Amino acid sequence: MLDLVESRSPTLGSGRLVCVDGPAGSGKTTLAAALHDLSPGSVVVHLDELLEGWGGLGGVDQRLDPLLLPLARGVAGRYERYDWIAGRFAEWVPIPPTPLLVLEGVGSGSLRHALLCTVLVWVEVDDSLRLRRGMERDGEQMRPHWEQWMRDERAHFVDQDTRARADVVV
């Protein structure tokens, strides 16, 4: 996959952007970590840190503007980190220009920033496995949030046509 990334022109100043998108619980974080390990100097940003809680998917593409638009000009970007425990945004996190930015999470492959995406990766697994992983990680008390999230992301992916636009499907 890194060969494909390197074969394409930079999209973030002199750097490149890999968006690892797909439904929650599908393995995006694991894949992003592997890409990071294979590409010294890369930076991974998890969209969980940009979402305004369980209902934040609808605004995530706009929340990416302060991160991606400056990087596209070759200068540092930033994002406002959401504190899931406090239920509010906390501090701004600076991201300097980097040879490779891996943006991982539901909504990372938004149409709003499609021209900045060097490679869009779609990761998927069966819904029952995703939900089981979610319950193991977050606890059974989070099931209603997960079930609503799964409906929200399904609608988001249809609206954004994310899977069909992917360069790589895992």
Side-chain angles (χ1 to χ4, degrees), residues 6-120:
E6 288 296 321
S7 75
R8 295 188 173 174
S9 298
T11 54
L12 293 181
S14 62
R16 291 170 174 83
L17 173 64
V18 173
C19 297
V20 181
D21 208 333
S26 60
K28 297 178 303 299
T29 303
T30 302
L31 179 58
L35 289 171
H36 175 68
D37 289 346
L38 292 171
S39 183
S42 64
V43 173
V44 177
V45 172
H46 303 281
L47 257 67
D48 287 357
E49 294 193 350
L50 282 83
L51 294 169
E52 190 170 3
W54 286 98
L57 183 56
V60 74
D61 56 350
Q62 294 175 2
R63 300 204 60 78
L64 286 168
D65 285 352
L67 173 64
L68 297 179
L69 299 182
L71 287 170
R73 296 190 311 272
V75 299
R78 65 186 191 149
Y79 66 90
E80 194 173 14
R81 186 187 67 80
Y82 187 77
D83 183 328
W84 283 79
I85 296 183
R88 60 178 169 76
F89 284 98
E91 73 280 350
W92 284 92
V93 178
I95 302 294
T98 178
L100 178 63
L101 175 63
V102 179
L103 192 58
E104 175 275 321
V106 177
S108 63
S110 73
L111 284 168
R112 182 179 181 105
H113 302 103
L115 294 178
L116 299 179
C117 180
T118 309
V119 172
L120 174 57

